[in-house]
mmCIF file with all atom_site columns, all heavy atoms in Angstrom:
data_model
loop_
_atom_site.group_PDB
_atom_site.id
_atom_site.type_symbol
_atom_site.label_atom_id
_atom_site.label_alt_id
_atom_site.label_comp_id
_atom_site.label_asym_id
_atom_site.label_entity_id
_atom_site.label_seq_id
_atom_site.pdbx_PDB_ins_code
_atom_site.Cartn_x
_atom_site.Cartn_y
_atom_site.Cartn_z
_atom_site.occupancy
_atom_site.B_iso_or_equiv
_atom_site.pdbx_formal_charge
_atom_site.auth_seq_id
_atom_site.auth_comp_id
_atom_site.auth_asym_id
_atom_site.auth_atom_id
_atom_site.pdbx_PDB_model_num
ATOM 1   N N   . ASP J 1 1  ? -10.175 12.451  -20.452 1.00 0.00 ? 1  ASP J N   1
ATOM 2   C CA  . ASP J 1 1  ? -9.682  12.470  -21.820 1.00 0.00 ? 1  ASP J CA  1
ATOM 3   C C   . ASP J 1 1  ? -8.932  11.207  -22.193 1.00 0.00 ? 1  ASP J C   1
ATOM 4   O O   . ASP J 1 1  ? -8.646  10.983  -23.366 1.00 0.00 ? 1  ASP J O   1
ATOM 5   C CB  . ASP J 1 1  ? -8.744  13.673  -22.015 1.00 0.00 ? 1  ASP J CB  1
ATOM 6   C CG  . ASP J 1 1  ? -9.517  14.981  -21.960 1.00 0.00 ? 1  ASP J CG  1
ATOM 7   O OD1 . ASP J 1 1  ? -10.762 14.943  -22.099 1.00 0.00 ? 1  ASP J OD1 1
ATOM 8   O OD2 . ASP J 1 1  ? -8.876  16.025  -21.771 1.00 0.00 ? 1  ASP J OD2 1
ATOM 9   N N   . ASN J 1 2  ? -8.558  10.411  -21.216 1.00 0.00 ? 2  ASN J N   1
ATOM 10  C CA  . ASN J 1 2  ? -7.740  9.233   -21.482 1.00 0.00 ? 2  ASN J CA  1
ATOM 11  C C   . ASN J 1 2  ? -8.421  8.004   -20.915 1.00 0.00 ? 2  ASN J C   1
ATOM 12  O O   . ASN J 1 2  ? -8.260  7.696   -19.748 1.00 0.00 ? 2  ASN J O   1
ATOM 13  C CB  . ASN J 1 2  ? -6.348  9.411   -20.860 1.00 0.00 ? 2  ASN J CB  1
ATOM 14  C CG  . ASN J 1 2  ? -5.442  8.237   -21.141 1.00 0.00 ? 2  ASN J CG  1
ATOM 15  O OD1 . ASN J 1 2  ? -5.793  7.353   -21.923 1.00 0.00 ? 2  ASN J OD1 1
ATOM 16  N ND2 . ASN J 1 2  ? -4.283  8.234   -20.505 1.00 0.00 ? 2  ASN J ND2 1
ATOM 17  N N   . PRO J 1 3  ? -9.216  7.285   -21.728 1.00 0.00 ? 3  PRO J N   1
ATOM 18  C CA  . PRO J 1 3  ? -9.956  6.142   -21.201 1.00 0.00 ? 3  PRO J CA  1
ATOM 19  C C   . PRO J 1 3  ? -9.053  5.075   -20.604 1.00 0.00 ? 3  PRO J C   1
ATOM 20  O O   . PRO J 1 3  ? -9.450  4.364   -19.698 1.00 0.00 ? 3  PRO J O   1
ATOM 21  C CB  . PRO J 1 3  ? -10.700 5.611   -22.449 1.00 0.00 ? 3  PRO J CB  1
ATOM 22  C CG  . PRO J 1 3  ? -10.752 6.763   -23.399 1.00 0.00 ? 3  PRO J CG  1
ATOM 23  C CD  . PRO J 1 3  ? -9.503  7.548   -23.139 1.00 0.00 ? 3  PRO J CD  1
ATOM 24  N N   . SER J 1 4  ? -7.814  4.992   -21.089 1.00 0.00 ? 4  SER J N   1
ATOM 25  C CA  . SER J 1 4  ? -6.931  3.939   -20.580 1.00 0.00 ? 4  SER J CA  1
ATOM 26  C C   . SER J 1 4  ? -6.540  4.168   -19.142 1.00 0.00 ? 4  SER J C   1
ATOM 27  O O   . SER J 1 4  ? -6.045  3.261   -18.470 1.00 0.00 ? 4  SER J O   1
ATOM 28  C CB  . SER J 1 4  ? -5.664  3.870   -21.444 1.00 0.00 ? 4  SER J CB  1
ATOM 29  O OG  . SER J 1 4  ? -4.919  5.067   -21.339 1.00 0.00 ? 4  SER J OG  1
ATOM 30  N N   . SER J 1 5  ? -6.740  5.397   -18.619 1.00 0.00 ? 5  SER J N   1
ATOM 31  C CA  . SER J 1 5  ? -6.350  5.675   -17.240 1.00 0.00 ? 5  SER J CA  1
ATOM 32  C C   . SER J 1 5  ? -7.461  5.373   -16.250 1.00 0.00 ? 5  SER J C   1
ATOM 33  O O   . SER J 1 5  ? -7.256  5.448   -15.051 1.00 0.00 ? 5  SER J O   1
ATOM 34  C CB  . SER J 1 5  ? -5.952  7.152   -17.102 1.00 0.00 ? 5  SER J CB  1
ATOM 35  O OG  . SER J 1 5  ? -7.098  7.973   -17.220 1.00 0.00 ? 5  SER J OG  1
ATOM 36  N N   . SER J 1 6  ? -8.658  5.049   -16.730 1.00 0.00 ? 6  SER J N   1
ATOM 37  C CA  . SER J 1 6  ? -9.763  4.791   -15.816 1.00 0.00 ? 6  SER J CA  1
ATOM 38  C C   . SER J 1 6  ? -9.634  3.420   -15.185 1.00 0.00 ? 6  SER J C   1
ATOM 39  O O   . SER J 1 6  ? -8.959  2.544   -15.695 1.00 0.00 ? 6  SER J O   1
ATOM 40  C CB  . SER J 1 6  ? -11.097 4.896   -16.564 1.00 0.00 ? 6  SER J CB  1
ATOM 41  O OG  . SER J 1 6  ? -11.150 3.924   -17.579 1.00 0.00 ? 6  SER J OG  1
ATOM 42  N N   . VAL J 1 7  ? -10.282 3.231   -14.047 1.00 0.00 ? 7  VAL J N   1
ATOM 43  C CA  . VAL J 1 7  ? -10.227 1.963   -13.331 1.00 0.00 ? 7  VAL J CA  1
ATOM 44  C C   . VAL J 1 7  ? -11.028 0.909   -14.079 1.00 0.00 ? 7  VAL J C   1
ATOM 45  O O   . VAL J 1 7  ? -12.181 1.130   -14.446 1.00 0.00 ? 7  VAL J O   1
ATOM 46  C CB  . VAL J 1 7  ? -10.777 2.134   -11.905 1.00 0.00 ? 7  VAL J CB  1
ATOM 47  C CG1 . VAL J 1 7  ? -10.821 0.784   -11.199 1.00 0.00 ? 7  VAL J CG1 1
ATOM 48  C CG2 . VAL J 1 7  ? -9.919  3.107   -11.125 1.00 0.00 ? 7  VAL J CG2 1
ATOM 49  N N   . ASP J 1 8  ? -10.421 -0.213  -14.343 1.00 0.00 ? 8  ASP J N   1
ATOM 50  C CA  . ASP J 1 8  ? -11.097 -1.334  -14.987 1.00 0.00 ? 8  ASP J CA  1
ATOM 51  C C   . ASP J 1 8  ? -11.838 -2.119  -13.906 1.00 0.00 ? 8  ASP J C   1
ATOM 52  O O   . ASP J 1 8  ? -11.212 -2.746  -13.057 1.00 0.00 ? 8  ASP J O   1
ATOM 53  C CB  . ASP J 1 8  ? -10.070 -2.214  -15.701 1.00 0.00 ? 8  ASP J CB  1
ATOM 54  C CG  . ASP J 1 8  ? -10.714 -3.418  -16.386 1.00 0.00 ? 8  ASP J CG  1
ATOM 55  O OD1 . ASP J 1 8  ? -11.952 -3.565  -16.288 1.00 0.00 ? 8  ASP J OD1 1
ATOM 56  O OD2 . ASP J 1 8  ? -9.974  -4.189  -17.001 1.00 0.00 ? 8  ASP J OD2 1
ATOM 57  N N   . PRO J 1 9  ? -13.193 -2.116  -13.899 1.00 0.00 ? 9  PRO J N   1
ATOM 58  C CA  . PRO J 1 9  ? -13.925 -2.791  -12.825 1.00 0.00 ? 9  PRO J CA  1
ATOM 59  C C   . PRO J 1 9  ? -13.752 -4.303  -12.841 1.00 0.00 ? 9  PRO J C   1
ATOM 60  O O   . PRO J 1 9  ? -14.066 -4.972  -11.871 1.00 0.00 ? 9  PRO J O   1
ATOM 61  C CB  . PRO J 1 9  ? -15.382 -2.389  -13.094 1.00 0.00 ? 9  PRO J CB  1
ATOM 62  C CG  . PRO J 1 9  ? -15.426 -2.044  -14.549 1.00 0.00 ? 9  PRO J CG  1
ATOM 63  C CD  . PRO J 1 9  ? -14.088 -1.462  -14.870 1.00 0.00 ? 9  PRO J CD  1
ATOM 64  N N   . THR J 1 10 ? -13.248 -4.851  -13.963 1.00 0.00 ? 10 THR J N   1
ATOM 65  C CA  . THR J 1 10 ? -13.045 -6.302  -14.032 1.00 0.00 ? 10 THR J CA  1
ATOM 66  C C   . THR J 1 10 ? -11.687 -6.714  -13.510 1.00 0.00 ? 10 THR J C   1
ATOM 67  O O   . THR J 1 10 ? -11.411 -7.905  -13.353 1.00 0.00 ? 10 THR J O   1
ATOM 68  C CB  . THR J 1 10 ? -13.183 -6.790  -15.482 1.00 0.00 ? 10 THR J CB  1
ATOM 69  O OG1 . THR J 1 10 ? -12.117 -6.240  -16.276 1.00 0.00 ? 10 THR J OG1 1
ATOM 70  C CG2 . THR J 1 10 ? -14.517 -6.375  -16.073 1.00 0.00 ? 10 THR J CG2 1
ATOM 71  N N   . ARG J 1 11 ? -10.797 -5.743  -13.281 1.00 0.00 ? 11 ARG J N   1
ATOM 72  C CA  . ARG J 1 11 ? -9.453  -6.080  -12.817 1.00 0.00 ? 11 ARG J CA  1
ATOM 73  C C   . ARG J 1 11 ? -9.488  -6.509  -11.355 1.00 0.00 ? 11 ARG J C   1
ATOM 74  O O   . ARG J 1 11 ? -10.137 -5.876  -10.529 1.00 0.00 ? 11 ARG J O   1
ATOM 75  C CB  . ARG J 1 11 ? -8.515  -4.886  -12.970 1.00 0.00 ? 11 ARG J CB  1
ATOM 76  C CG  . ARG J 1 11 ? -7.071  -5.204  -12.561 1.00 0.00 ? 11 ARG J CG  1
ATOM 77  C CD  . ARG J 1 11 ? -6.209  -3.957  -12.600 1.00 0.00 ? 11 ARG J CD  1
ATOM 78  N NE  . ARG J 1 11 ? -6.109  -3.400  -13.938 1.00 0.00 ? 11 ARG J NE  1
ATOM 79  C CZ  . ARG J 1 11 ? -5.277  -3.857  -14.853 1.00 0.00 ? 11 ARG J CZ  1
ATOM 80  N NH1 . ARG J 1 11 ? -4.498  -4.875  -14.589 1.00 0.00 ? 11 ARG J NH1 1
ATOM 81  N NH2 . ARG J 1 11 ? -5.225  -3.296  -16.047 1.00 0.00 ? 11 ARG J NH2 1
ATOM 82  N N   . THR J 1 12 ? -8.775  -7.563  -11.040 1.00 0.00 ? 12 THR J N   1
ATOM 83  C CA  . THR J 1 12 ? -8.703  -8.016  -9.652  1.00 0.00 ? 12 THR J CA  1
ATOM 84  C C   . THR J 1 12 ? -7.864  -7.033  -8.848  1.00 0.00 ? 12 THR J C   1
ATOM 85  O O   . THR J 1 12 ? -6.701  -6.806  -9.177  1.00 0.00 ? 12 THR J O   1
ATOM 86  C CB  . THR J 1 12 ? -8.072  -9.413  -9.566  1.00 0.00 ? 12 THR J CB  1
ATOM 87  O OG1 . THR J 1 12 ? -8.845  -10.315 -10.342 1.00 0.00 ? 12 THR J OG1 1
ATOM 88  C CG2 . THR J 1 12 ? -8.017  -9.875  -8.117  1.00 0.00 ? 12 THR J CG2 1
ATOM 89  N N   . PRO J 1 13 ? -8.427  -6.405  -7.822  1.00 0.00 ? 13 PRO J N   1
ATOM 90  C CA  . PRO J 1 13 ? -7.652  -5.430  -7.069  1.00 0.00 ? 13 PRO J CA  1
ATOM 91  C C   . PRO J 1 13 ? -6.570  -6.098  -6.219  1.00 0.00 ? 13 PRO J C   1
ATOM 92  O O   . PRO J 1 13 ? -6.603  -7.294  -5.966  1.00 0.00 ? 13 PRO J O   1
ATOM 93  C CB  . PRO J 1 13 ? -8.709  -4.764  -6.177  1.00 0.00 ? 13 PRO J CB  1
ATOM 94  C CG  . PRO J 1 13 ? -9.754  -5.817  -6.000  1.00 0.00 ? 13 PRO J CG  1
ATOM 95  C CD  . PRO J 1 13 ? -9.786  -6.571  -7.298  1.00 0.00 ? 13 PRO J CD  1
ATOM 96  N N   . ALA J 1 14 ? -5.593  -5.286  -5.807  1.00 0.00 ? 14 ALA J N   1
ATOM 97  C CA  . ALA J 1 14 ? -4.577  -5.798  -4.889  1.00 0.00 ? 14 ALA J CA  1
ATOM 98  C C   . ALA J 1 14 ? -5.242  -6.163  -3.569  1.00 0.00 ? 14 ALA J C   1
ATOM 99  O O   . ALA J 1 14 ? -6.249  -5.569  -3.185  1.00 0.00 ? 14 ALA J O   1
ATOM 100 C CB  . ALA J 1 14 ? -3.511  -4.729  -4.652  1.00 0.00 ? 14 ALA J CB  1
ATOM 101 N N   . PRO J 1 15 ? -4.708  -7.157  -2.878  1.00 0.00 ? 15 PRO J N   1
ATOM 102 C CA  . PRO J 1 15 ? -5.319  -7.552  -1.604  1.00 0.00 ? 15 PRO J CA  1
ATOM 103 C C   . PRO J 1 15 ? -5.329  -6.391  -0.613  1.00 0.00 ? 15 PRO J C   1
ATOM 104 O O   . PRO J 1 15 ? -4.321  -5.722  -0.422  1.00 0.00 ? 15 PRO J O   1
ATOM 105 C CB  . PRO J 1 15 ? -4.400  -8.692  -1.114  1.00 0.00 ? 15 PRO J CB  1
ATOM 106 C CG  . PRO J 1 15 ? -3.694  -9.177  -2.329  1.00 0.00 ? 15 PRO J CG  1
ATOM 107 C CD  . PRO J 1 15 ? -3.545  -7.981  -3.221  1.00 0.00 ? 15 PRO J CD  1
ATOM 108 N N   . THR J 1 16 ? -6.469  -6.130  -0.017  1.00 0.00 ? 16 THR J N   1
ATOM 109 C CA  . THR J 1 16 ? -6.551  -5.128  1.032   1.00 0.00 ? 16 THR J CA  1
ATOM 110 C C   . THR J 1 16 ? -6.011  -5.731  2.322   1.00 0.00 ? 16 THR J C   1
ATOM 111 O O   . THR J 1 16 ? -6.341  -6.857  2.669   1.00 0.00 ? 16 THR J O   1
ATOM 112 C CB  . THR J 1 16 ? -8.009  -4.694  1.245   1.00 0.00 ? 16 THR J CB  1
ATOM 113 O OG1 . THR J 1 16 ? -8.493  -4.115  0.038   1.00 0.00 ? 16 THR J OG1 1
ATOM 114 C CG2 . THR J 1 16 ? -8.117  -3.674  2.366   1.00 0.00 ? 16 THR J CG2 1
ATOM 115 N N   . PRO J 1 17 ? -5.146  -5.002  3.039   1.00 0.00 ? 17 PRO J N   1
ATOM 116 C CA  . PRO J 1 17 ? -4.602  -5.566  4.280   1.00 0.00 ? 17 PRO J CA  1
ATOM 117 C C   . PRO J 1 17 ? -5.704  -5.987  5.236   1.00 0.00 ? 17 PRO J C   1
ATOM 118 O O   . PRO J 1 17 ? -6.749  -5.335  5.332   1.00 0.00 ? 17 PRO J O   1
ATOM 119 C CB  . PRO J 1 17 ? -3.771  -4.410  4.860   1.00 0.00 ? 17 PRO J CB  1
ATOM 120 C CG  . PRO J 1 17 ? -3.447  -3.545  3.684   1.00 0.00 ? 17 PRO J CG  1
ATOM 121 C CD  . PRO J 1 17 ? -4.611  -3.658  2.762   1.00 0.00 ? 17 PRO J CD  1
ATOM 122 N N   . SER J 1 18 ? -5.497  -7.077  5.934   1.00 0.00 ? 18 SER J N   1
ATOM 123 C CA  . SER J 1 18 ? -6.492  -7.556  6.892   1.00 0.00 ? 18 SER J CA  1
ATOM 124 C C   . SER J 1 18 ? -6.388  -6.827  8.221   1.00 0.00 ? 18 SER J C   1
ATOM 125 O O   . SER J 1 18 ? -7.319  -6.844  9.021   1.00 0.00 ? 18 SER J O   1
ATOM 126 C CB  . SER J 1 18 ? -6.319  -9.061  7.119   1.00 0.00 ? 18 SER J CB  1
ATOM 127 O OG  . SER J 1 18 ? -5.014  -9.349  7.608   1.00 0.00 ? 18 SER J OG  1
ATOM 128 N N   . THR J 1 19 ? -5.257  -6.178  8.474   1.00 0.00 ? 19 THR J N   1
ATOM 129 C CA  . THR J 1 19 ? -5.044  -5.493  9.745   1.00 0.00 ? 19 THR J CA  1
ATOM 130 C C   . THR J 1 19 ? -5.661  -4.099  9.735   1.00 0.00 ? 19 THR J C   1
ATOM 131 O O   . THR J 1 19 ? -5.848  -3.493  8.679   1.00 0.00 ? 19 THR J O   1
ATOM 132 C CB  . THR J 1 19 ? -3.541  -5.377  10.042  1.00 0.00 ? 19 THR J CB  1
ATOM 133 O OG1 . THR J 1 19 ? -2.903  -4.702  8.944   1.00 0.00 ? 19 THR J OG1 1
ATOM 134 C CG2 . THR J 1 19 ? -2.920  -6.752  10.205  1.00 0.00 ? 19 THR J CG2 1
ATOM 135 N N   . MET J 1 20 ? -5.985  -3.615  10.913  1.00 0.00 ? 20 MET J N   1
ATOM 136 C CA  . MET J 1 20 ? -6.591  -2.307  11.063  1.00 0.00 ? 20 MET J CA  1
ATOM 137 C C   . MET J 1 20 ? -5.666  -1.199  10.567  1.00 0.00 ? 20 MET J C   1
ATOM 138 O O   . MET J 1 20 ? -6.114  -0.223  9.962   1.00 0.00 ? 20 MET J O   1
ATOM 139 C CB  . MET J 1 20 ? -6.933  -2.059  12.532  1.00 0.00 ? 20 MET J CB  1
ATOM 140 C CG  . MET J 1 20 ? -7.535  -0.693  12.806  1.00 0.00 ? 20 MET J CG  1
ATOM 141 S SD  . MET J 1 20 ? -9.214  -0.549  12.194  1.00 0.00 ? 20 MET J SD  1
ATOM 142 C CE  . MET J 1 20 ? -10.070 -1.480  13.465  1.00 0.00 ? 20 MET J CE  1
ATOM 143 N N   . ALA J 1 21 ? -4.350  -1.348  10.794  1.00 0.00 ? 21 ALA J N   1
ATOM 144 C CA  . ALA J 1 21 ? -3.400  -0.298  10.445  1.00 0.00 ? 21 ALA J CA  1
ATOM 145 C C   . ALA J 1 21 ? -2.270  -0.870  9.600   1.00 0.00 ? 21 ALA J C   1
ATOM 146 O O   . ALA J 1 21 ? -1.821  -1.993  9.821   1.00 0.00 ? 21 ALA J O   1
ATOM 147 C CB  . ALA J 1 21 ? -2.826  0.326   11.720  1.00 0.00 ? 21 ALA J CB  1
ATOM 148 N N   . LEU J 1 22 ? -1.846  -0.089  8.620   1.00 0.00 ? 22 LEU J N   1
ATOM 149 C CA  . LEU J 1 22 ? -0.630  -0.384  7.860   1.00 0.00 ? 22 LEU J CA  1
ATOM 150 C C   . LEU J 1 22 ? 0.448   0.502   8.460   1.00 0.00 ? 22 LEU J C   1
ATOM 151 O O   . LEU J 1 22 ? 0.423   1.721   8.303   1.00 0.00 ? 22 LEU J O   1
ATOM 152 C CB  . LEU J 1 22 ? -0.849  -0.087  6.383   1.00 0.00 ? 22 LEU J CB  1
ATOM 153 C CG  . LEU J 1 22 ? 0.208   -0.583  5.402   1.00 0.00 ? 22 LEU J CG  1
ATOM 154 C CD1 . LEU J 1 22 ? 0.368   -2.099  5.490   1.00 0.00 ? 22 LEU J CD1 1
ATOM 155 C CD2 . LEU J 1 22 ? -0.176  -0.179  3.975   1.00 0.00 ? 22 LEU J CD2 1
ATOM 156 N N   . HIS J 1 23 ? 1.397   -0.107  9.165   1.00 0.00 ? 23 HIS J N   1
ATOM 157 C CA  . HIS J 1 23 ? 2.270   0.640   10.062  1.00 0.00 ? 23 HIS J CA  1
ATOM 158 C C   . HIS J 1 23 ? 3.695   0.122   9.922   1.00 0.00 ? 23 HIS J C   1
ATOM 159 O O   . HIS J 1 23 ? 3.947   -1.070  10.065  1.00 0.00 ? 23 HIS J O   1
ATOM 160 C CB  . HIS J 1 23 ? 1.778   0.437   11.501  1.00 0.00 ? 23 HIS J CB  1
ATOM 161 C CG  . HIS J 1 23 ? 2.550   1.191   12.543  1.00 0.00 ? 23 HIS J CG  1
ATOM 162 N ND1 . HIS J 1 23 ? 2.831   0.660   13.784  1.00 0.00 ? 23 HIS J ND1 1
ATOM 163 C CD2 . HIS J 1 23 ? 3.096   2.433   12.547  1.00 0.00 ? 23 HIS J CD2 1
ATOM 164 C CE1 . HIS J 1 23 ? 3.497   1.535   14.498  1.00 0.00 ? 23 HIS J CE1 1
ATOM 165 N NE2 . HIS J 1 23 ? 3.673   2.628   13.766  1.00 0.00 ? 23 HIS J NE2 1
ATOM 166 N N   . GLU J 1 24 ? 4.632   1.014   9.589   1.00 0.00 ? 24 GLU J N   1
ATOM 167 C CA  . GLU J 1 24 ? 6.020   0.597   9.401   1.00 0.00 ? 24 GLU J CA  1
ATOM 168 C C   . GLU J 1 24 ? 6.951   1.666   9.957   1.00 0.00 ? 24 GLU J C   1
ATOM 169 O O   . GLU J 1 24 ? 6.834   2.851   9.621   1.00 0.00 ? 24 GLU J O   1
ATOM 170 C CB  . GLU J 1 24 ? 6.326   0.379   7.916   1.00 0.00 ? 24 GLU J CB  1
ATOM 171 C CG  . GLU J 1 24 ? 7.721   -0.149  7.635   1.00 0.00 ? 24 GLU J CG  1
ATOM 172 C CD  . GLU J 1 24 ? 7.923   -1.585  8.093   1.00 0.00 ? 24 GLU J CD  1
ATOM 173 O OE1 . GLU J 1 24 ? 6.935   -2.342  8.112   1.00 0.00 ? 24 GLU J OE1 1
ATOM 174 O OE2 . GLU J 1 24 ? 9.063   -1.947  8.438   1.00 0.00 ? 24 GLU J OE2 1
ATOM 175 N N   . ASN J 1 25 ? 7.885   1.237   10.813  1.00 0.00 ? 25 ASN J N   1
ATOM 176 C CA  . ASN J 1 25 ? 8.889   2.138   11.360  1.00 0.00 ? 25 ASN J CA  1
ATOM 177 C C   . ASN J 1 25 ? 10.252  1.823   10.764  1.00 0.00 ? 25 ASN J C   1
ATOM 178 O O   . ASN J 1 25 ? 10.584  0.653   10.559  1.00 0.00 ? 25 ASN J O   1
ATOM 179 C CB  . ASN J 1 25 ? 8.969   2.005   12.881  1.00 0.00 ? 25 ASN J CB  1
ATOM 180 C CG  . ASN J 1 25 ? 7.835   2.729   13.575  1.00 0.00 ? 25 ASN J CG  1
ATOM 181 O OD1 . ASN J 1 25 ? 7.464   3.829   13.175  1.00 0.00 ? 25 ASN J OD1 1
ATOM 182 N ND2 . ASN J 1 25 ? 7.274   2.125   14.605  1.00 0.00 ? 25 ASN J ND2 1
ATOM 183 N N   . MET J 1 26 ? 11.026  2.864   10.487  1.00 0.00 ? 26 MET J N   1
ATOM 184 C CA  . MET J 1 26 ? 12.369  2.680   9.967   1.00 0.00 ? 26 MET J CA  1
ATOM 185 C C   . MET J 1 26 ? 13.366  2.972   11.083  1.00 0.00 ? 26 MET J C   1
ATOM 186 O O   . MET J 1 26 ? 13.731  4.118   11.329  1.00 0.00 ? 26 MET J O   1
ATOM 187 C CB  . MET J 1 26 ? 12.626  3.595   8.766   1.00 0.00 ? 26 MET J CB  1
ATOM 188 C CG  . MET J 1 26 ? 13.968  3.333   8.102   1.00 0.00 ? 26 MET J CG  1
ATOM 189 S SD  . MET J 1 26 ? 14.227  4.357   6.655   1.00 0.00 ? 26 MET J SD  1
ATOM 190 C CE  . MET J 1 26 ? 12.918  3.723   5.614   1.00 0.00 ? 26 MET J CE  1
ATOM 191 N N   . THR J 1 27 ? 13.778  1.916   11.773  1.00 0.00 ? 27 THR J N   1
ATOM 192 C CA  . THR J 1 27 ? 14.709  2.081   12.885  1.00 0.00 ? 27 THR J CA  1
ATOM 193 C C   . THR J 1 27 ? 15.803  1.029   12.814  1.00 0.00 ? 27 THR J C   1
ATOM 194 O O   . THR J 1 27 ? 15.609  -0.069  12.298  1.00 0.00 ? 27 THR J O   1
ATOM 195 C CB  . THR J 1 27 ? 13.989  1.954   14.239  1.00 0.00 ? 27 THR J CB  1
ATOM 196 O OG1 . THR J 1 27 ? 13.308  0.688   14.299  1.00 0.00 ? 27 THR J OG1 1
ATOM 197 C CG2 . THR J 1 27 ? 12.987  3.067   14.439  1.00 0.00 ? 27 THR J CG2 1
ATOM 198 N N   . LEU J 1 28 ? 16.962  1.399   13.335  1.00 0.00 ? 28 LEU J N   1
ATOM 199 C CA  . LEU J 1 28 ? 18.088  0.483   13.473  1.00 0.00 ? 28 LEU J CA  1
ATOM 200 C C   . LEU J 1 28 ? 18.172  0.020   14.924  1.00 0.00 ? 28 LEU J C   1
ATOM 201 O O   . LEU J 1 28 ? 17.610  0.632   15.828  1.00 0.00 ? 28 LEU J O   1
ATOM 202 C CB  . LEU J 1 28 ? 19.389  1.180   13.070  1.00 0.00 ? 28 LEU J CB  1
ATOM 203 C CG  . LEU J 1 28 ? 19.458  1.730   11.640  1.00 0.00 ? 28 LEU J CG  1
ATOM 204 C CD1 . LEU J 1 28 ? 20.726  2.550   11.453  1.00 0.00 ? 28 LEU J CD1 1
ATOM 205 C CD2 . LEU J 1 28 ? 19.407  0.601   10.634  1.00 0.00 ? 28 LEU J CD2 1
ATOM 206 N N   . ASN J 1 29 ? 18.909  -1.066  15.131  1.00 0.00 ? 29 ASN J N   1
ATOM 207 C CA  . ASN J 1 29 ? 19.086  -1.569  16.491  1.00 0.00 ? 29 ASN J CA  1
ATOM 208 C C   . ASN J 1 29 ? 20.138  -0.791  17.270  1.00 0.00 ? 29 ASN J C   1
ATOM 209 O O   . ASN J 1 29 ? 20.353  -1.038  18.445  1.00 0.00 ? 29 ASN J O   1
ATOM 210 C CB  . ASN J 1 29 ? 19.468  -3.047  16.463  1.00 0.00 ? 29 ASN J CB  1
ATOM 211 C CG  . ASN J 1 29 ? 18.318  -3.924  16.015  1.00 0.00 ? 29 ASN J CG  1
ATOM 212 O OD1 . ASN J 1 29 ? 17.164  -3.535  16.113  1.00 0.00 ? 29 ASN J OD1 1
ATOM 213 N ND2 . ASN J 1 29 ? 18.635  -5.092  15.499  1.00 0.00 ? 29 ASN J ND2 1
ATOM 214 N N   . THR J 1 30 ? 20.820  0.120   16.582  1.00 0.00 ? 30 THR J N   1
ATOM 215 C CA  . THR J 1 30 ? 21.825  0.957   17.234  1.00 0.00 ? 30 THR J CA  1
ATOM 216 C C   . THR J 1 30 ? 21.570  2.410   16.845  1.00 0.00 ? 30 THR J C   1
ATOM 217 O O   . THR J 1 30 ? 20.894  2.696   15.857  1.00 0.00 ? 30 THR J O   1
ATOM 218 C CB  . THR J 1 30 ? 23.242  0.561   16.806  1.00 0.00 ? 30 THR J CB  1
ATOM 219 O OG1 . THR J 1 30 ? 23.355  0.681   15.381  1.00 0.00 ? 30 THR J OG1 1
ATOM 220 C CG2 . THR J 1 30 ? 23.556  -0.867  17.214  1.00 0.00 ? 30 THR J CG2 1
ATOM 221 N N   . GLY J 1 31 ? 22.134  3.324   17.623  1.00 0.00 ? 31 GLY J N   1
ATOM 222 C CA  . GLY J 1 31 ? 21.984  4.734   17.317  1.00 0.00 ? 31 GLY J CA  1
ATOM 223 C C   . GLY J 1 31 ? 20.717  5.320   17.893  1.00 0.00 ? 31 GLY J C   1
ATOM 224 O O   . GLY J 1 31 ? 19.797  4.612   18.304  1.00 0.00 ? 31 GLY J O   1
ATOM 225 N N   . ALA J 1 32 ? 20.664  6.643   17.907  1.00 0.00 ? 32 ALA J N   1
ATOM 226 C CA  . ALA J 1 32 ? 19.509  7.354   18.476  1.00 0.00 ? 32 ALA J CA  1
ATOM 227 C C   . ALA J 1 32 ? 18.341  7.338   17.502  1.00 0.00 ? 32 ALA J C   1
ATOM 228 O O   . ALA J 1 32 ? 18.495  7.065   16.306  1.00 0.00 ? 32 ALA J O   1
ATOM 229 C CB  . ALA J 1 32 ? 19.906  8.787   18.807  1.00 0.00 ? 32 ALA J CB  1
ATOM 230 N N   . ARG J 1 33 ? 17.164  7.639   18.012  1.00 0.00 ? 33 ARG J N   1
ATOM 231 C CA  . ARG J 1 33 ? 15.972  7.714   17.171  1.00 0.00 ? 33 ARG J CA  1
ATOM 232 C C   . ARG J 1 33 ? 14.996  8.711   17.778  1.00 0.00 ? 33 ARG J C   1
ATOM 233 O O   . ARG J 1 33 ? 15.138  9.117   18.943  1.00 0.00 ? 33 ARG J O   1
ATOM 234 C CB  . ARG J 1 33 ? 15.305  6.351   17.040  1.00 0.00 ? 33 ARG J CB  1
ATOM 235 C CG  . ARG J 1 33 ? 14.728  5.809   18.339  1.00 0.00 ? 33 ARG J CG  1
ATOM 236 C CD  . ARG J 1 33 ? 14.028  4.461   18.191  1.00 0.00 ? 33 ARG J CD  1
ATOM 237 N NE  . ARG J 1 33 ? 14.929  3.368   17.872  1.00 0.00 ? 33 ARG J NE  1
ATOM 238 C CZ  . ARG J 1 33 ? 14.620  2.080   18.023  1.00 0.00 ? 33 ARG J CZ  1
ATOM 239 N NH1 . ARG J 1 33 ? 13.424  1.743   18.481  1.00 0.00 ? 33 ARG J NH1 1
ATOM 240 N NH2 . ARG J 1 33 ? 15.487  1.140   17.729  1.00 0.00 ? 33 ARG J NH2 1
#
């Protein structure tokens, strides 16, 4: 119902990561985990 929400095929997409995995850990150098 909303054409503005569809994907524009002419838009340059965001760069796809070159690595196999997108991986991020949230840890501190101190304290338990």
Side-chain angles (χ1 to χ4, degrees):
D1 291 343
N2 182 8
S4 64
S5 70
S6 62
V7 175
D8 179 359
T10 66
R11 183 186 297 279
T12 302
T16 299
S18 59
T19 56
M20 178 72 77
L22 192 59
H23 182 218
E24 184 69 29
N25 282 319
M26 186 177 296
T27 56
L28 301 172
N29 290 338
T30 58
R33 66 178 68 162

